[in-house]
Amino acid sequence: MAVKIDVLIPAIEKDLTTLPYVINAVRKQVKHPIGRIHIVSPNRSRIIAMCKRKGVHFVNENTVLPITKSDINYRSKRWERSGWLFQQLLKLGGDKLCSSKYFLTIDADTVLIRPHVFRTAGGKTVFYSRNWSQPEYFRTYRRLMGKKRSAPRSLVAHYMLFEKSKLRQMKRMIAAKHGTSWYRAIIRSMDRTKQFAFSEFETYGNYVYSGNPKSVQLRKTMNRSFNMSISQMSQKQMQALSRKYRSLSFHKRKGYSRKGKATSKRR
């Protein structure tokens, strides 16, 4: 029988258009028994109402870690990335929220359109991967972990299965190595003048891969990104795209600009 998993999705109000589709797709396409789906977000009535409608668990994002977004200063005159980093740290704090041995995190703008398995019958963890990444992710990884990346492909796939025991092991190692909390060590290891300076997926994925490459199976992500709303795409279009892709991402990246009211938005 497939391994039971929980699901953790960090989200903010701009994600409300896509989030119901993300939840539906997880329930349809993830071929594991699903325990609880946690939506980790700011304490906003619209998000809480959506969680009730979809039968998922709302978690106030300020209750997960000892720090909140306001404690993170990751911005320049042109861009604001504090929320983008905070949601990555929230995923890494998921071991405290989820009761299952494994939990899946998925970005609130990414919809699965094909069946997905995250643990094989042979007991391997499946990491979805791609052939490009941000070089700065690996510079931070080296400062943080004291070694080079080990995986042959990028593990940034918009979703990843975490094993709680390995995640805790990694965080303990980071804290011991840097003499501070794991999240402060991450923030201090980043070059915060760079717009893409840390990846939770590259960090955890490479940690697991370096421990035992044979415990991991890499599969191609086959993701396609769109700069449009999912509401503009028909079910027929999605079915056609599923012949070539496993997932679709509906990005709103203009939210990183510090112009106007967009400063609080994140990935």
Side-chain angles (χ1 to χ4, degrees), residues 151-177:
R153 289 172 58 80
S154 169
L155 302 176
V156 177
H158 308 295
Y159 45 89
M160 179 172 272
L161 186 75
F162 288 82
E163 185 173 347
K164 286 202 304 187
S165 60
K166 287 182 179 171
L167 177 59
R168 284 172 179 160
Q169 205 175 52
M170 181 188 83
K171 292 194 292 188
R172 280 196 300 268
M173 191 208 84
I174 291 170
K177 181 174 171 53

Side-chain angles (χ1 to χ4, degrees), residues 23 27 37-39 50-58:
I23 294 165
R27 286 173 166 154
I37 298 176
H38 303 272
I39 306 299
M50 189 280 307
C51 289
K52 284 180 180 170
R53 281 198 307 275
K54 301 302 292 181
V56 297
H57 180 225
F58 167 79

Side-chain angles (χ1 to χ4, degrees), residues 31 46 85 112 118 126 138 146 149 157 168 170 213 230 237 251 260:
K31 298 307 168 185
R46 288 174 66 215
L85 176 59
L112 305 179
F118 294 93
V126 178
F138 304 120
R149 62 177 285 199
R168 284 172 179 160
M170 181 188 83
I230 190 170
Q237 284 173 298
H251 296 305

Side-chain angles (χ1 to χ4, degrees), residues 208-224:
V208 172
Y209 194 92
S210 67
N212 182 5
K214 290 181 179 176
S215 71
V216 174
Q217 185 180 108
L218 298 182
R219 294 184 187 171
K220 289 185 180 178
T221 303
M222 293 152 54
N223 170 272
R224 176 149 177 210

